[in-house]
């Protein structure tokens, strides 16, 4: 990984990682705590062309406890799978 890209990734990821309490902690939901690391930073560092990916697939997240209220006010619960393609 190039030094420049690695520094960018470390700076982005280090915004909240490794902080205990205080500055990096919230007791309620805060979208500011979600930090996106652009895929292109790592792909460029490894010489991977965005237009010609050498792999297929993606990320899968499983949510085993999902609940919601229907439009009629009835509670429903279930499981959910989220798929985010690599491209």
């Amino acid at each position: 990984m190039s030094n420049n890209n690695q520094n960018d990734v470390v700076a982005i990821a280090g915004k909240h990682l490794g902080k205990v309490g205080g500055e990096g902690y919230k007791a309620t939901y805060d979208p500011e705590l979600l930090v996106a690391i652009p895929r292109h930073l790592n792909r460029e560092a490894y010489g991977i062309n965005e237009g010609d990916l050498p792999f297929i697939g993606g990320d899968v997240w499983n949510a085993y406890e999902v609940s919601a209220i229907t439009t009629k006010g009835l509670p429903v619960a279930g499981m959910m799978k989220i798929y985010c393609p690599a491209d």
Side-chain angles (χ1 to χ4, degrees):
M1 182 180 292
S2 76
N3 230 5
N4 193 30
N5 282 2
Q6 184 178 14
N7 291 339
D8 290 346
V9 170
V10 169
I12 294 168
K15 182 175 180 182
H16 301 295
L17 292 176
K19 296 182 181 174
V20 179
E23 178 184 337
Y25 176 78
K26 303 279 184 183
T28 58
Y29 173 75
D30 182 359
E32 292 296 316
L33 293 177
L34 301 173
V35 181
I37 299 177
R39 287 180 171 168
H40 75 86
L41 291 175
N42 285 317
R43 289 181 179 171
E44 285 174 4
Y46 289 106
I48 298 173
N49 181 355
E50 287 285 331
D52 186 28
L53 297 178
F55 48 81
I56 59 171
D59 296 328
V60 178
W61 295 296
N62 291 297
Y64 294 104
E65 296 180 18
V66 178
S67 60
I69 302 293
T70 68
T71 56
K72 294 185 179 188
L74 299 172
V76 293
M79 297 188 312
M80 178 171 58
K81 181 180 282 190
I82 301 169
Y83 177 76
C84 181
D87 57 358

Coordinates of all heavy atoms in Angstrom, one line a residue:
M1 N 0.9 -1.2 0.0 CA 0.0 0.0 0.0 C 0.9 1.2 0.0 O 1.9 1.3 0.7 CB -0.9 0.0 1.2 CG -1.9 1.1 1.3 SD -3.0 1.1 2.8 CE -4.0 -0.2 2.4
S2 N 0.6 2.2 -0.8 CA 1.4 3.4 -0.9 C 1.3 4.2 0.5 O 0.3 4.1 1.1 CB 1.0 4.3 -2.0 OG -0.2 5.0 -1.7
N3 N 2.4 4.8 0.8 CA 2.4 5.6 2.0 C 1.3 6.6 2.1 O 0.7 6.8 3.2 CB 3.8 6.2 2.2 CG 4.4 5.9 3.5 OD1 3.9 5.2 4.3 ND2 5.5 6.6 3.8
N4 N 1.0 7.3 1.0 CA 0.0 8.4 1.0 C -1.4 7.8 1.3 O -2.1 8.3 2.1 CB 0.0 9.1 -0.3 CG -0.8 10.4 -0.2 OD1 -0.9 11.0 0.8 ND2 -1.3 10.8 -1.4
N5 N -1.7 6.7 0.6 CA -3.0 6.1 0.8 C -3.1 5.5 2.2 O -4.2 5.6 2.8 CB -3.3 5.0 -0.2 CG -3.7 5.6 -1.6 OD1 -3.8 6.7 -1.7 ND2 -4.0 4.7 -2.5
Q6 N -2.0 4.9 2.7 CA -2.1 4.3 4.0 C -2.3 5.4 5.1 O -3.1 5.2 6.0 CB -0.8 3.5 4.3 CG -0.8 2.8 5.6 CD 0.5 2.1 5.9 OE1 1.5 2.2 5.2 NE2 0.5 1.2 6.9
N7 N -1.7 6.5 4.9 CA -1.9 7.6 5.8 C -3.3 8.1 5.8 O -3.9 8.4 6.9 CB -0.9 8.8 5.5 CG 0.5 8.4 5.8 OD1 0.8 7.5 6.6 ND2 1.5 9.1 5.2
D8 N -3.9 8.2 4.6 CA -5.3 8.6 4.5 C -6.2 7.6 5.2 O -7.1 8.0 6.0 CB -5.7 8.7 3.0 CG -5.1 9.9 2.3 OD1 -4.5 10.8 3.0 OD2 -5.1 9.9 1.1
V9 N -6.0 6.3 5.0 CA -6.8 5.3 5.6 C -6.7 5.3 7.1 O -7.7 5.3 7.9 CB -6.5 3.8 5.1 CG1 -7.2 2.8 5.9 CG2 -6.9 3.7 3.6
V10 N -5.5 5.4 7.6 CA -5.2 5.5 9.1 C -5.9 6.7 9.7 O -6.5 6.7 10.8 CB -3.7 5.5 9.4 CG1 -3.4 5.8 10.9 CG2 -3.1 4.1 9.1
A11 N -5.8 7.8 9.0 CA -6.4 9.1 9.5 C -8.0 9.0 9.6 O -8.6 9.4 10.6 CB -6.0 10.3 8.6
I12 N -8.6 8.4 8.5 CA -10.0 8.2 8.5 C -10.4 7.2 9.6 O -11.3 7.5 10.4 CB -10.5 7.7 7.1 CG1 -10.3 8.8 6.1 CG2 -12.0 7.4 7.2 CD1 -10.4 8.4 4.7
A13 N -9.8 6.0 9.6 CA -10.2 5.0 10.6 C -9.9 5.4 12.0 O -10.6 5.0 13.0 CB -9.5 3.7 10.3
G14 N -8.9 6.2 12.2 CA -8.5 6.6 13.6 C -9.4 7.7 14.2 O -9.1 8.1 15.3
K15 N -10.4 8.2 13.5 CA -11.2 9.2 14.0 C -11.9 8.8 15.3 O -12.0 9.6 16.2 CB -12.3 9.6 12.9 CG -13.2 10.7 13.4 CD -14.2 11.1 12.3 CE -15.1 12.2 12.7 NZ -16.1 12.6 11.7
H16 N -12.3 7.6 15.4 CA -13.0 7.1 16.7 C -12.3 5.9 17.2 O -12.5 5.6 18.4 CB -14.4 6.8 16.4 CG -15.2 8.0 15.9 ND1 -15.4 9.1 16.6 CD2 -15.8 8.3 14.7 CE1 -16.1 10.0 15.9 NE2 -16.3 9.5 14.8
L17 N -11.6 5.1 16.4 CA -11.0 3.9 16.9 C -10.0 4.1 18.0 O -9.2 5.0 17.9 CB -10.4 3.1 15.7 CG -11.3 2.5 14.7 CD1 -10.5 1.9 13.6 CD2 -12.3 1.5 15.3
G18 N -10.0 3.3 19.0 CA -9.0 3.4 20.1 C -9.3 4.4 21.1 O -8.5 4.6 22.0
K19 N -10.5 5.1 21.0 CA -10.8 6.1 22.0 C -11.8 5.4 23.0 O -12.8 4.9 22.6 CB -11.4 7.3 21.4 CG -10.4 8.0 20.5 CD -11.0 9.2 19.9 CE -9.9 9.8 19.0 NZ -10.4 11.0 18.2
V20 N -11.5 5.5 24.3 CA -12.4 5.0 25.3 C -13.1 6.1 26.0 O -12.4 7.0 26.6 CB -11.6 4.2 26.3 CG1 -12.5 3.6 27.4 CG2 -10.9 3.0 25.6
G21 N -14.4 6.1 26.0 CA -15.2 7.1 26.7 C -14.9 8.5 26.1 O -14.3 8.7 25.1
G22 N -15.5 9.5 26.7 CA -15.2 10.9 26.4 C -15.5 11.2 25.0 O -16.6 11.0 24.5
E23 N -14.5 11.7 24.3 CA -14.6 12.3 22.9 C -15.3 11.3 21.9 O -16.1 11.7 21.1 CB -13.3 12.7 22.5 CG -13.2 13.2 21.1 CD -11.7 13.5 20.7 OE1 -10.9 13.7 21.5 OE2 -11.5 13.5 19.5
G24 N -14.9 10.0 21.9 CA -15.4 9.1 20.9 C -16.6 8.3 21.3 O -17.1 7.5 20.5
Y25 N -17.2 8.6 22.5 CA -18.3 7.8 22.9 C -19.6 8.6 23.0 O -19.6 9.7 23.4 CB -18.0 7.2 24.3 CG -19.2 6.5 24.9 CD1 -19.5 5.2 24.6 CD2 -20.1 7.1 25.8 CE1 -20.5 4.5 25.1 CE2 -21.1 6.4 26.4 CZ -21.4 5.1 26.0 OH -22.4 4.4 26.5
K26 N -20.7 8.0 22.6 CA -22.0 8.6 22.6 C -23.0 7.5 23.2 O -22.9 6.4 22.9 CB -22.6 9.0 21.3 CG -21.7 9.9 20.5 CD -21.9 11.3 20.9 CE -21.0 12.2 20.0 NZ -21.1 13.6 20.4
A27 N -23.9 8.0 24.1 CA -24.9 7.1 24.7 C -26.1 6.9 23.8 O -26.9 6.0 24.0 CB -25.3 7.6 26.0
T28 N -26.2 7.7 22.7 CA -27.3 7.6 21.8 C -26.8 7.5 20.4 O -25.6 7.8 20.1 CB -28.2 8.9 21.9 OG1 -27.4 10.1 21.6 CG2 -28.8 9.0 23.3
Y29 N -27.7 7.2 19.4 CA -27.3 7.1 18.0 C -26.8 8.4 17.5 O -27.3 9.5 17.8 CB -28.5 6.7 17.2 CG -28.2 6.7 15.7 CD1 -27.4 5.7 15.1 CD2 -28.7 7.7 14.9 CE1 -27.1 5.7 13.8 CE2 -28.4 7.7 13.6 CZ -27.6 6.7 13.0 OH -27.3 6.8 11.7
D30 N -25.7 8.4 16.8 CA -25.1 9.5 16.2 C -24.4 9.2 14.9 O -23.4 8.5 14.9 CB -24.0 10.1 17.2 CG -23.4 11.4 16.6 OD1 -23.8 11.8 15.5 OD2 -22.5 12.0 17.3
P31 N -25.0 9.6 13.8 CA -24.5 9.2 12.5 C -23.0 9.7 12.3 O -22.3 9.2 11.4 CB -25.4 9.8 11.5 CG -26.2 10.9 12.2 CD -26.2 10.4 13.7
E32 N -22.6 10.7 13.0 CA -21.2 11.2 12.9 C -20.2 10.2 13.3 O -19.0 10.3 13.0 CB -21.1 12.5 13.8 CG -21.8 13.6 13.3 CD -21.4 14.1 11.9 OE1 -20.1 14.2 11.7 OE2 -22.2 14.4 11.0
L33 N -20.6 9.1 14.1 CA -19.7 8.1 14.5 C -19.4 7.1 13.4 O -18.5 6.3 13.5 CB -20.2 7.3 15.7 CG -20.3 8.1 17.0 CD1 -21.0 7.3 18.1 CD2 -19.0 8.6 17.4
L34 N -20.3 7.1 12.3 CA -20.0 6.2 11.2 C -19.1 6.9 10.2 O -19.3 8.0 9.8 CB -21.4 5.9 10.5 CG -22.5 5.3 11.3 CD1 -23.8 5.2 10.5 CD2 -22.0 3.9 11.8
V35 N -18.0 6.2 10.0 CA -16.9 6.7 9.1 C -16.7 5.8 7.9 O -16.3 4.7 8.1 CB -15.6 6.9 9.9 CG1 -14.5 7.5 9.1 CG2 -15.8 7.7 11.2
A36 N -16.9 6.4 6.7 CA -16.7 5.6 5.5 C -15.3 5.7 5.1 O -14.7 6.8 5.1 CB -17.6 6.1 4.4
I37 N -14.7 4.5 4.7 CA -13.4 4.5 4.1 C -13.5 4.2 2.7 O -14.0 3.1 2.3 CB -12.5 3.5 4.8 CG1 -12.3 3.9 6.3 CG2 -11.1 3.5 4.2 CD1 -11.5 2.9 7.1
P38 N -13.2 5.1 1.8 CA -13.4 4.9 0.3 C -12.6 3.7 -0.1 O -11.4 3.6 0.2 CB -12.9 6.2 -0.3 CG -13.0 7.2 0.8 CD -12.7 6.5 2.1
R39 N -13.3 2.8 -0.9 CA -12.6 1.6 -1.4 C -11.4 1.9 -2.3 O -10.4 1.2 -2.3 CB -13.6 0.7 -2.1 CG -14.5 0.0 -1.1 CD -15.5 -0.9 -1.9 NE -16.3 -1.7 -0.9 CZ -17.3 -2.4 -1.3 NH1 -17.8 -2.4 -2.5 NH2 -18.0 -3.1 -0.3
H40 N -11.5 3.0 -3.0 CA -10.5 3.4 -4.0 C -9.1 3.6 -3.3 O -8.1 3.4 -3.9 CB -10.9 4.6 -4.8 CG -10.8 5.9 -4.1 ND1 -9.6 6.6 -4.1 CD2 -11.7 6.6 -3.4 CE1 -9.8 7.7 -3.4 NE2 -11.0 7.7 -3.0
L41 N -9.1 4.0 -2.0 CA -7.8 4.2 -1.4 C -7.0 2.9 -1.3 O -5.8 2.9 -1.6 CB -8.0 4.8 0.0 CG -8.5 6.2 0.1 CD1 -8.8 6.6 1.6 CD2 -7.6 7.2 -0.5
N42 N -7.6 1.8 -0.9 CA -6.9 0.6 -0.8 C -6.7 0.0 -2.2 O -5.7 -0.6 -2.5 CB -7.6 -0.4 0.1 CG -7.4 -0.1 1.5 OD1 -6.3 0.2 1.9 ND2 -8.5 -0.2 2.3
R43 N -7.7 0.1 -3.1 CA -7.6 -0.5 -4.4 C -6.5 0.2 -5.2 O -5.7 -0.5 -5.9 CB -8.9 -0.3 -5.2 CG -10.0 -1.3 -4.6 CD -11.3 -1.2 -5.3 NE -12.2 -2.1 -4.8 CZ -13.5 -2.2 -5.1 NH1 -14.0 -1.4 -5.9 NH2 -14.3 -3.1 -4.5
E44 N -6.3 1.5 -5.1 CA -5.2 2.2 -5.8 C -3.9 1.7 -5.3 O -2.9 1.5 -6.0 CB -5.3 3.7 -5.6 CG -6.4 4.3 -6.5 CD -6.6 5.8 -6.1 OE1 -5.8 6.4 -5.3 OE2 -7.5 6.4 -6.7
A45 N -3.8 1.5 -4.0 CA -2.5 1.1 -3.4 C -2.1 -0.3 -3.8 O -0.9 -0.5 -3.9 CB -2.7 1.1 -1.8
Y46 N -3.1 -1.1 -4.1 CA -2.7 -2.5 -4.6 C -2.8 -2.6 -6.1 O -2.7 -3.7 -6.7 CB -3.7 -3.5 -4.0 CG -3.4 -3.7 -2.5 CD1 -4.3 -3.1 -1.6 CD2 -2.3 -4.4 -2.0 CE1 -4.1 -3.3 -0.2 CE2 -2.1 -4.5 -0.7 CZ -3.0 -4.0 0.2 OH -2.7 -4.1 1.6
G47 N -2.9 -1.5 -6.8 CA -2.9 -1.5 -8.3 C -4.1 -2.1 -8.9 O -4.1 -2.6 -10.0
I48 N -5.3 -2.0 -8.2 CA -6.5 -2.5 -8.7 C -7.3 -1.4 -9.4 O -7.6 -0.4 -8.8 CB -7.4 -3.1 -7.6 CG1 -6.6 -4.3 -6.9 CG2 -8.7 -3.6 -8.1 CD1 -7.3 -4.9 -5.7
N49 N -7.6 -1.7 -10.7 CA -8.4 -0.7 -11.5 C -9.9 -0.8 -11.2 O -10.5 -1.9 -11.3 CB -8.1 -1.0 -13.0 CG -8.8 0.0 -13.9 OD1 -9.6 0.9 -13.5 ND2 -8.5 -0.1 -15.2
E50 N -10.5 0.3 -10.8 CA -11.9 0.4 -10.5 C -12.8 -0.2 -11.6 O -13.8 -0.8 -11.4 CB -12.4 1.8 -10.2 CG -11.9 2.3 -8.8 CD -12.6 1.7 -7.6 OE1 -13.8 1.4 -7.8 OE2 -12.0 1.6 -6.6
G51 N -12.4 0.1 -12.9 CA -13.2 -0.4 -14.0 C -13.0 -1.8 -14.4 O -13.8 -2.4 -15.2
D52 N -12.0 -2.5 -13.8 CA -11.7 -3.9 -14.2 C -11.3 -4.6 -13.0 O -10.2 -5.0 -12.8 CB -10.6 -3.9 -15.3 CG -10.3 -5.3 -15.8 OD1 -11.2 -6.1 -15.8 OD2 -9.2 -5.5 -16.2
L53 N -12.3 -4.9 -12.1 CA -12.0 -5.5 -10.8 C -11.6 -7.0 -11.0 O -12.3 -7.7 -11.8 CB -13.2 -5.5 -9.9 CG -13.6 -4.1 -9.4 CD1 -14.9 -4.2 -8.6 CD2 -12.5 -3.4 -8.7
P54 N -10.5 -7.5 -10.4 CA -10.1 -8.9 -10.6 C -10.8 -9.8 -9.7 O -10.4 -11.0 -9.5 CB -8.6 -8.8 -10.2 CG -8.6 -7.7 -9.1 CD -9.6 -6.7 -9.6
F55 N -12.0 -9.4 -9.2 CA -12.7 -10.3 -8.3 C -14.2 -10.0 -8.4 O -14.6 -9.0 -9.0 CB -12.3 -10.1 -6.8 CG -12.2 -8.7 -6.4 CD1 -13.3 -8.0 -6.0 CD2 -11.0 -8.1 -6.3 CE1 -13.3 -6.7 -5.6 CE2 -10.9 -6.8 -5.9 CZ -12.0 -6.1 -5.6
I56 N -15.0 -10.9 -7.9 CA -16.5 -10.7 -7.9 C -16.9 -11.0 -6.5 O -16.2 -11.5 -5.6 CB -17.2 -11.7 -8.9 CG1 -16.9 -13.1 -8.5 CG2 -16.8 -11.4 -10.3 CD1 -17.8 -14.1 -9.2
G57 N -18.1 -10.6 -6.2 CA -18.7 -10.8 -4.8 C -19.0 -9.5 -4.1 O -19.3 -8.5 -4.8
G58 N -19.1 -9.6 -2.8 CA -19.4 -8.4 -2.0 C -19.4 -8.7 -0.6 O -19.0 -9.7 -0.1
D59 N -20.0 -7.8 0.2 CA -20.1 -7.9 1.6 C -21.5 -8.4 2.0 O -22.5 -7.9 1.4 CB -19.8 -6.6 2.3 CG -18.4 -6.1 2.1 OD1 -17.5 -6.9 2.0 OD2 -18.2 -4.9 2.1
V60 N -21.6 -9.2 3.0 CA -22.9 -9.7 3.5 C -23.0 -9.4 5.0 O -22.1 -9.7 5.7 CB -23.1 -11.2 3.3 CG1 -24.5 -11.6 3.8 CG2 -23.1 -11.5 1.8
W61 N -24.1 -8.7 5.4 CA -24.3 -8.4 6.8 C -25.6 -9.1 7.2 O -26.6 -9.0 6.5 CB -24.5 -6.9 7.1 CG -23.2 -6.2 6.8 CD1 -22.0 -6.3 7.4 CD2 -23.0 -5.2 5.8 NE1 -21.1 -5.4 6.9 CE2 -21.7 -4.7 5.9 CE3 -23.9 -4.6 4.8 CZ2 -21.2 -3.7 5.1 CZ3 -23.3 -3.6 4.0 CH2 -22.0 -3.2 4.2
N62 N -25.6 -9.9 8.3 CA -26.7 -10.5 8.8 C -27.2 -9.8 10.0 O -26.4 -9.6 11.0 CB -26.4 -12.0 9.1 CG -26.1 -12.8 7.9 OD1 -27.0 -13.0 7.1 ND2 -24.9 -13.3 7.8
A63 N -28.5 -9.5 10.1 CA -29.1 -8.9 11.2 C -30.1 -10.0 11.8 O -31.1 -10.3 11.1 CB -29.9 -7.6 10.8
Y64 N -29.8 -10.5 12.9 CA -30.5 -11.6 13.4 C -31.7 -11.2 14.3 O -32.6 -12.0 14.5 CB -29.6 -12.6 14.3 CG -28.6 -13.2 13.4 CD1 -27.3 -12.8 13.4 CD2 -28.9 -14.3 12.5 CE1 -26.3 -13.4 12.6 CE2 -28.0 -14.9 11.7 CZ -26.7 -14.4 11.8 OH -25.8 -15.0 11.0
E65 N -31.8 -9.9 14.7 CA -32.9 -9.4 15.4 C -33.4 -8.1 14.8 O -32.8 -7.1 15.2 CB -32.6 -9.3 16.9 CG -32.2 -10.6 17.6 CD -31.9 -10.4 19.0 OE1 -32.2 -9.3 19.6 OE2 -31.3 -11.3 19.6
V66 N -34.4 -8.1 14.0 CA -34.9 -6.9 13.3 C -36.3 -6.8 13.7 O -37.1 -7.8 13.6 CB -34.8 -7.0 11.8 CG1 -35.4 -5.7 11.2 CG2 -33.3 -7.2 11.4
S67 N -36.7 -5.6 14.2 CA -38.2 -5.4 14.5 C -38.6 -4.1 14.0 O -37.8 -3.2 13.7 CB -38.4 -5.5 16.0 OG -37.6 -4.5 16.7
A68 N -39.9 -4.0 13.7 CA -40.5 -2.8 13.2 C -42.0 -2.8 13.5 O -42.6 -3.8 14.0 CB -40.3 -2.8 11.7
I69 N -42.7 -1.7 13.2 CA -44.1 -1.6 13.4 C -44.7 -1.4 12.0 O -44.3 -0.6 11.2 CB -44.5 -0.4 14.3 CG1 -43.8 -0.5 15.6 CG2 -46.0 -0.2 14.4 CD1 -44.3 -1.6 16.5
T70 N -45.8 -2.2 11.7 CA -46.4 -2.1 10.4 C -47.2 -0.8 10.4 O -47.4 -0.1 11.4 CB -47.4 -3.3 10.1 OG1 -48.4 -3.2 11.0 CG2 -46.6 -4.6 10.2
T71 N -47.8 -0.5 9.2 CA -48.6 0.7 9.0 C -49.9 0.6 9.8 O -50.5 1.6 10.1 CB -48.9 1.0 7.5 OG1 -49.5 -0.2 7.0 CG2 -47.7 1.3 6.8
K72 N -50.2 -0.6 10.2 CA -51.4 -0.8 11.0 C -51.1 -0.9 12.5 O -52.0 -1.2 13.4 CB -52.2 -2.1 10.6 CG -52.7 -2.0 9.2 CD -53.5 -3.2 8.9 CE -54.1 -3.0 7.5 NZ -55.0 -4.1 7.1
G73 N -49.8 -0.6 12.9 CA -49.4 -0.6 14.3 C -49.1 -1.9 14.9 O -49.0 -2.0 16.1
L74 N -49.0 -2.9 14.1 CA -48.6 -4.2 14.6 C -47.1 -4.5 14.6 O -46.4 -4.2 13.6 CB -49.3 -5.3 13.7 CG -50.8 -5.3 13.7 CD1 -51.3 -6.3 12.7 CD2 -51.4 -5.6 15.0
P75 N -46.6 -5.0 15.7 CA -45.1 -5.3 15.7 C -44.8 -6.5 14.9 O -45.6 -7.5 14.9 CB -44.9 -5.5 17.2 CG -46.2 -6.0 17.8 CD -47.2 -5.3 17.0
V76 N -43.7 -6.5 14.2 CA -43.2 -7.6 13.5 C -41.7 -7.8 13.8 O -41.0 -6.8 14.1 CB -43.4 -7.5 12.0 CG1 -44.9 -7.5 11.6 CG2 -42.8 -6.3 11.4
A77 N -41.3 -9.0 13.8 CA -39.8 -9.3 14.0 C -39.3 -10.3 13.0 O -40.1 -11.1 12.5 CB -39.7 -9.8 15.5
G78 N -38.1 -10.3 12.8 CA -37.5 -11.3 11.9 C -36.0 -11.1 11.7 O -35.4 -10.4 12.5
M79 N -35.5 -11.7 10.7 CA -34.0 -11.6 10.4 C -33.9 -10.9 9.0 O -34.8 -10.9 8.2 CB -33.4 -13.0 10.3 CG -33.5 -13.8 11.6 SD -32.5 -15.3 11.6 CE -33.0 -16.1 10.1
M80 N -32.7 -10.3 8.8 CA -32.5 -9.6 7.6 C -31.1 -9.8 7.1 O -30.2 -9.9 7.9 CB -32.7 -8.1 7.8 CG -32.5 -7.2 6.6 SD -32.9 -5.5 6.8 CE -32.0 -4.9 8.2
K81 N -30.9 -9.9 5.8 CA -29.6 -10.1 5.2 C -29.4 -8.9 4.2 O -30.3 -8.6 3.4 CB -29.5 -11.4 4.4 CG -28.1 -11.6 3.8 CD -28.0 -12.9 3.0 CE -27.8 -14.0 4.0 NZ -27.5 -15.3 3.4
I82 N -28.3 -8.2 4.4 CA -28.0 -7.1 3.5 C -26.7 -7.4 2.7 O -25.7 -7.9 3.2 CB -27.6 -5.8 4.4 CG1 -28.8 -5.5 5.2 CG2 -27.2 -4.6 3.5 CD1 -28.5 -4.4 6.3
Y83 N -26.8 -7.2 1.4 CA -25.7 -7.6 0.5 C -25.3 -6.3 -0.2 O -26.1 -5.6 -0.8 CB -26.2 -8.6 -0.6 CG -25.1 -8.9 -1.6 CD1 -24.0 -9.8 -1.2 CD2 -25.1 -8.4 -2.8 CE1 -23.1 -10.1 -2.1 CE2 -24.2 -8.7 -3.8 CZ -23.1 -9.5 -3.4 OH -22.1 -9.8 -4.3
C84 N -24.0 -6.0 -0.2 CA -23.4 -4.9 -0.8 C -22.4 -5.4 -1.8 O -21.3 -5.9 -1.4 CB -22.8 -4.0 0.2 SG -22.0 -2.5 -0.5
P85 N -22.6 -5.2 -3.1 CA -21.7 -5.8 -4.1 C -20.3 -5.0 -4.1 O -20.3 -3.9 -3.8 CB -22.4 -5.5 -5.5 CG -23.5 -4.6 -5.2 CD -23.8 -4.6 -3.7
A86 N -19.3 -5.7 -4.5 CA -17.9 -5.2 -4.5 C -17.8 -4.1 -5.5 O -16.9 -3.2 -5.3 CB -16.9 -6.3 -4.8
D87 N -18.6 -4.1 -6.5 CA -18.4 -3.0 -7.6 C -19.4 -1.9 -7.3 O -19.4 -0.9 -7.7 CB -18.7 -3.6 -9.0 CG -20.0 -4.2 -9.1 OD1 -20.8 -4.3 -8.1 OD2 -20.3 -4.7 -10.2

